[in-house]
Amino acid sequence: MLYDSLAEIGRYTGISPHLDKAIHFIRTHDLAALPLGRTEVDGDNVFVNVMEANAIPGEGRGFETHARYMDIQIDLEGTELCQSAQGELRESEPYDPQRDIAIWEGDATSTVVLGPGRFVLYFVGEAHKPSILHGEDARLKKAVFKVRG
């Protein structure tokens, strides 16, 4: 997991060619101006989903993992918490290759506060729970980059 300000995202180039493409796109485009839905950056290797959602409490929800894609989560409007879990996890929903997701039960080991100007990147296989309510305003507009691992 990487957590930092968007102003510092360029520090993370060189990890993978697909991640470099995502970082270049983030640094050279106004993400708030992107339309809702999917925008392709490099076909199925790198794309971004812009969505409006409501953050919800984290209790009772599992952690997600992905086998093919890293996630870069960026709040364009609103603020949310994102948790990660390391250590022993119990599978609650088996891996769905169509959606590239499995759901796990376990204990949160870290929590970050997103909001405009920050990002969190979860690598392939890292258990994470996004869109957790932080404060009273649940409204979010977010960009989730999917980056082939």
Side-chain angles (χ1 to χ4, degrees):
M1 176 187 83
L2 297 173
Y3 171 66
D4 207 339
S5 71
L6 278 174
E8 299 297 326
I9 198 166
R11 301 172 71 193
Y12 303 102
T13 58
I15 294 172
S16 84
H18 297 312
L19 183 57
D20 289 352
K21 288 179 184 177
I23 290 170
H24 176 75
F25 187 89
I26 291 166
R27 293 178 79 194
T28 59
H29 290 78
D30 178 3
L31 301 182
L34 293 175
L36 294 176
R38 179 176 167 145
T39 297
E40 290 190 9
V41 176
D42 182 26
D44 286 336
N45 293 318
V46 181
F47 57 93
V48 57
N49 288 313
V50 176
M51 63 196 80
E52 293 176 338
N54 285 319
I56 57 175
E59 295 80 18
R61 291 195 293 137
F63 293 87
E64 59 188 62
T65 60
H66 309 291
R68 292 192 314 266
Y69 290 98
M70 298 178 243
D71 275 4
I72 304 173
Q73 306 254 344
I74 301 169
D75 286 348
L76 304 173
E77 298 173 12
T79 302
E80 69 183 289
L81 299 177
C82 293
Q83 293 180 333
S84 62
Q86 298 175 344
E88 188 175 324
L89 298 172
R90 297 165 306 285
E91 185 178 63
S92 64
E93 292 181 31
Y95 179 71
D96 179 346
Q98 296 279 56
R99 296 176 40 228
D100 186 39
I101 193 170
I103 304 296
W104 303 85
E105 297 300 322
D107 296 323
T109 54
S110 67
T111 301
V112 299
V113 179
L114 282 186
R118 293 185 286 272
F119 76 94
V120 63
L121 181 149
Y122 294 104
F123 290 95
V124 169
E126 287 187 316
H128 59 286
K129 186 188 306 185
S131 302
I132 299 172
L133 184 64
H134 179 68
E136 294 182 18
D137 189 355
R139 293 173 294 145
L140 297 171
K141 182 177 180 186
K142 63 187 296 180
V144 178
F145 282 81
K146 303 300 275 186
V147 181
R148 191 173 298 277

